[in-house]
Amino acid sequence: MAHPVQTEAEVLSSTAEGAYHRLVLRAPEAAPRVRPGHFATLAVGGRHSSMLLRRAFSIHRADVEAGTVELVIAEQGHGTGELRRARPGDRLDLIAPLGTPFPLPDGPVSALLVAAGYGIAPLLALGEEIKRRGGQIGFILGAPTVAQLYGVEQARALTQDVLVVTEDGSAGLPGPVTEPLAQAIRAIDATVVHACGPMPVLRAVTGIALDLGARCHTSVEEAMACGVGICMTCVLPVVGEDGVSRFVRSCTDGPVFDGARVRWNDIGTVPADLEGAAAMGVKG
Amino acid sequence: MQTDDVDLRVPFGALTLPNPLTTASGCAGYGRELAKFVPLDALGSVTTKTIMASPRSGLATPRMAETPSGMLNAIGLQGSGIASFVKHELPWLAERGARVLVSIAGERLEEFAEVAEQLNGQPGVIGLELNISCPNIADRGQVFACNPATSYDVVRAVRKVAEAGLPVYAKLSPDVTSITEIAAACVQAGADGLSMINTSLGMAIDLDTMRPAVAGGTGGLSGPAIRPTAIRCVHQVHAAMLAGRIPQVPILGMGGIRTGRDALEFALAGASGLAVGTALFNDPAAPLRILDELRTELAARGFAKFTDAVGFAHRPVTAERLS
Ligand SMILES: Cc1cc2nc3c(=O)[nH]c(=O)nc-3n(C[C@H](O)[C@H](O)[C@H](O)COP(=O)(O)OP(=O)(O)OC[C@H]3O[C@@H](n4cnc5c(N)ncnc54)[C@H](O)[C@@H]3O)c2cc1C
Ligand SMILES: Cc1cc2nc3c(=O)[nH]c(=O)nc-3n(C[C@H](O)[C@H](O)[C@H](O)COP(=O)(O)O)c2cc1C
Ligand code: FES
């Protein structure tokens, strides 16, 4: 896990972008530590807030020179609603960077980056990094409807290979984000796929990528109480290097996992062959 | 009274701790991750996540739900077992100068004793906390701490095998008719202290799925939402001690401590130790802030020593104080 920094970060800007909100925060100590795939957490509502749990967001960008960290936020409930109302000059309690970032290739590779909705947030910086290493990239950006697409122009600035998909057909191809996936992997000869989005999307993307012989790195979103590895609420069943499956913390061991190691079909259960399942009375 | 002069030291068994603050079991893991935010030796002690004999996967996800000023958790005591803890975690903690209160549990009496025995003579261990009150142990309708007889038996079994002089604390559940009755049984069985309180059993329904929000159905409620319950428990048991109905032993108070004011409230009710749990999730650096705030709150009320504030709320109101 990255060594995180906790700071009272000043809000430099807070702008509505389609269905989302982009927050730029001053966090000069955190910014140089950020790698693509890291996430950050924000406390909501101050010391006496009744919302005790911090909210987690992928880090969209970190600018070392400006000393800033950017987040893309979708309003879901009260916490993100409150964050949307943050104004320049406000201070937010930020912890960043957190988690394990996307693995970076040593040399040139061809990578397909797949995002659903705000899942694009950590993938643009990743795409830049892959290109810097001589690699080539393609994007598939999906959303339920056009308003929920994010970062299409930014992706196009990095590569010509950008496919847009909306479930209602309001922009790009109609259908789910996985629809054009196999064809896109073949089209750019991708040997690696990086994906960020809801669990069902990640599960499907992993299946398709593995079938075509590509590695698949997925950034998962599991509910987190602490984000720093002390509460054990955020676990997923993952196969270890020793072949043994365990519940591992998605905040410290993830959020980026090798998709082939995550037991997608067993999320939300205690599979009988998981280490320590017998002690829970789970029988095989 | 100068804030810096306030003496926060507290006795703990034969030791003197630099301050009364510890982490609540299960809210700081085994300390490694928290150490990135708080130097562990700056805390009076560190309480580990509850450890059992063998590895446990814990319950299925989702394991938590936020509730007003609190949260529900249903972790189910995930852990890799006592042998792994002694080998991999304890030496690391001891090297950092952490004073470790090890929380242990068992499905059966014998398991409690077996785990306790393995901690004898281990570096860094300053005490044991018996988690007889976890609401998330599967297949058990009732926790040990719901019954004075089973509570007595567990404490007795551990006290028998634990190193002489190593304080053994029993951790009590608020979900009982008479917490003083359970407290009395634990002290009679040889408990050197009482930890109060564990989480209170609760439930939330997810309106999207229209099913319970945590996979385990019920979960343990923690955070400021349970503070009034915790203060009541500490006050009741301390009062019973003052009245001579229970031999006097130290109380480790917890349940929603988030600020120095909350910490002082527990002390006034009768707690001589204070544990921070859920607040760590909001602010992992909370312990040091709370200690600073506690010093200020004590100084503002003219307390030169933390120990002078312990149980103060039980003193009769005098005419002098009313004037
Ligand atoms: C690693 C990670 C990265 C994320 N990145 C982003 C991002 O870049 N942009 C973005 O908009 N959102 C992101 N999310 C989701 C975001 O954390 C939730 O939308 C947000 O916490 C909802 O808070 P709320 O108070 O508005 O909703 P409520 O429903 O009121 O929240 C109640 C509780 O549930 C938790 N919760 C609710 N939804 C989620 C969720 N989807 N995932 C995890 N916890 C949840 C909250 O943290 C809170 O504890 C990410 C989540 C994780 C775990
Ligand atoms: C996520 C979580 C895990 C917990 N795990 C344990 C545990 O393993 N053993 C235990 O004795 N108590 C456990 N508790 C209870 C706490 O130690 C504490 O008694 C309770 O949360 C009240 O304090 P708080 O409001 O400050 O959190 C846990 C609490 C939470 C929130
Ligand atoms: S969110 Fe607490 S351990 Fe991962």
Side-chain angles (χ1 to χ4, degrees):
Chain A
M1 184 172 117
H3 197 106
V5 179
Q6 183 175 10
T7 46
E8 286 294 312
E10 185 189 341
V11 177
L12 295 181
S13 72
S14 170
T15 25
E17 293 186 354
Y20 304 100
H21 220 78
R22 190 163 55 91
L23 267 189
V24 181
L25 301 167
R26 188 195 301 285
E29 283 174 60
R33 301 166 191 253
V34 175
R35 302 289 171 268
H38 276 143
F39 71 98
T41 62
L42 289 172
V44 193
R47 181 67 41 79
H48 302 286
S49 169
S50 70
M51 282 182 267
L52 280 186
L53 305 180
R54 305 176 73 91
R55 272 43 176 176
F57 304 97
S58 300
I59 296 175
H60 178 39
R61 284 179 187 286
D63 184 329
V64 180
E65 255 148 53
T68 55
V69 169
E70 287 182 32
L71 312 174
V72 178
I73 298 180
E75 185 170 347
Q76 300 287 356
H78 291 301
T80 44
E82 193 143 313
L83 292 171
R84 185 174 59 84
R85 290 187 288 276
R87 289 292 159 259
D90 288 354
R91 285 176 187 275
L92 296 174
D93 182 337
L94 171 88
I95 300 182
L98 290 164
T100 305
F102 283 106
L104 290 170
D106 296 331
V109 291
S110 179
L112 185 66
L113 312 183
V114 183
Y118 57 74
I120 182 70
L123 294 182
L124 290 163
L126 175 68
E128 283 170 18
E129 196 65 45
I130 293 171
K131 276 185 70 179
R132 198 169 298 135
R133 285 153 199 254
Q136 62 153 334
I137 53 171
F139 282 96
I140 299 182
L141 305 181
T145 183
V146 61
Q148 281 154 289
L149 283 168
Y150 190 85
V152 177
E153 290 317 311
Q154 297 177 62
R156 288 204 173 116
L158 290 177
T159 174
Q160 291 184 322
D161 294 318
V162 179
L163 262 183
V164 170
V165 198
T166 52
E167 275 161 38
D168 66 357
S170 52
L173 301 169
V177 68
T178 44
E179 183 83 8
L181 184 62
Q183 207 185 336
I185 292 174
R186 289 196 200 98
I188 64 162
D189 274 331
T191 54
V192 55
V193 174
H194 296 278
C196 187
M199 295 287 191
V201 170
L202 299 180
R203 177 177 67 178
V205 170
T206 301
I208 294 167
L210 294 183
D211 277 350
L212 295 173
R215 294 288 298 268
C216 188
H217 301 291
T218 55
S219 178
V220 305
E221 207 179 271
E222 184 61 67
M224 295 179 178
C226 76
V228 301
I230 55 180
C231 74
M232 308 302 288
T233 57
C234 64
V235 300
L236 293 177
V238 171
V239 185
E241 294 193 350
D242 54 3
V244 179
S245 295
R246 297 183 181 84
F247 269 149
V248 303
R249 291 168 290 184
S250 57
C251 65
T252 49
D253 295 293
V256 177
F257 288 102
D258 180 343
R261 293 197 177 278
V262 178
R263 295 180 52 171
W264 300 105
N265 294 328
D266 294 320
I267 290 175
T269 72
V270 181
D273 61 338
L274 202 73
E275 183 179 87
M280 305 304 296
V282 178
K283 295 190 183 70
Chain B
M1 170 96 298
Q2 290 293 309
T3 299
D4 289 346
D5 294 339
V6 175
D7 183 357
L8 290 184
R9 286 174 304 169
V10 285
F12 187 85
L15 302 175
T16 299
L17 304 182
N19 61 65
L21 216 69
T22 188
T23 54
S25 176
C27 300
Y30 301 133
R32 276 181 204 265
E33 295 79 14
L34 191 67
K36 292 176 178 165
F37 300 93
V38 189
L40 298 183
D41 58 357
L43 301 178
S45 61
V46 174
T47 308
T48 66
K49 176 153 189 65
T50 296
I51 297 157
M52 297 180 73
S54 21
R56 282 170 71 89
S57 65
L59 297 167
T61 54
R63 288 177 168 187
M64 70 94 174
E66 193 180 58
T67 57
S69 291
M71 68 178 278
L72 291 170
N73 89 81
I75 313 287
L77 301 182
Q78 177 171 350
S80 47
I82 185 69
S84 167
F85 172 74
V86 167
K87 186 159 169 220
H88 301 296
E89 307 295 338
L90 203 45
W92 185 91
L93 283 162
E95 255 169 48
R96 267 140 203 92
R99 293 162 285 269
V100 189
L101 204 56
V102 186
S103 169
I104 63 170
E107 299 264 357
R108 299 157 289 111
L109 278 187
E110 304 77 49
E111 190 181 336
F112 271 98
E114 185 189 324
V115 177
E117 217 164 1
Q118 294 190 54
L119 290 162
N120 284 340
Q122 294 295 342
V125 178
I126 64 158
L128 304 181
E129 183 177 83
L130 312 184
N131 179 3
I132 54 175
S133 46
C134 181
N136 292 322
I137 296 192
D139 295 327
R140 186 190 306 284
Q142 273 211 330
V143 297
F144 289 94
C146 283
N147 180 325
T150 47
S151 301
Y152 180 96
D153 290 346
V154 173
V155 175
R156 193 66 191 227
V158 171
R159 194 56 284 179
K160 251 191 223 157
V161 298
E163 225 174 320
L166 189 71
V168 172
Y169 275 55
K171 184 160 176 186
L172 307 186
S173 167
D175 299 338
V176 293
T177 313
S178 166
I179 195 159
T180 49
E181 199 188 337
I182 313 284
C186 291
V187 177
Q188 274 154 24
D192 304 284
L194 299 169
S195 299
M196 272 183 261
I197 56 174
N198 210 320
T199 54
S200 175
L201 203 59
M203 187 185 264
I205 310 282
D206 181 328
L207 294 189
D208 293 327
T209 64
M210 298 194 278
R211 298 286 182 281
V214 296
T218 56
L221 182 63
S222 65
I226 64 167
R227 197 164 62 234
T229 303
I231 295 289
R232 181 268 293 173
C233 290
V234 170
H235 190 277
Q236 270 185 333
V237 172
H238 193 79
M241 289 175 182
L242 292 177
R245 282 184 281 126
I246 305 177
Q248 214 152 355
V249 297
I251 295 172
L252 177 56
M254 71 198 80
I257 297 181
R258 196 176 184 187
T259 66
R261 293 178 74 89
D262 306 337
L264 178 62
E265 194 182 351
F266 272 90
L268 298 176
S272 55
L274 308 161
V276 181
T278 305
L280 293 168
F281 307 161
N282 178 266
D283 176 13
L288 295 187
R289 171 178 56 75
I290 292 171
L291 278 175
D292 272 349
E293 291 170 355
L294 175 61
R295 236 182 242 111
T296 308
E297 299 292 345
L298 287 166
R301 288 162 184 78
F303 290 112
K305 294 195 298 217
F306 170 76
T307 48
D308 291 342
V310 175
F312 200 90
H314 296 266
R315 301 206 186 163
V317 179
T318 61
E320 182 194 357
R321 279 184 64 216
L322 286 176
S323 65

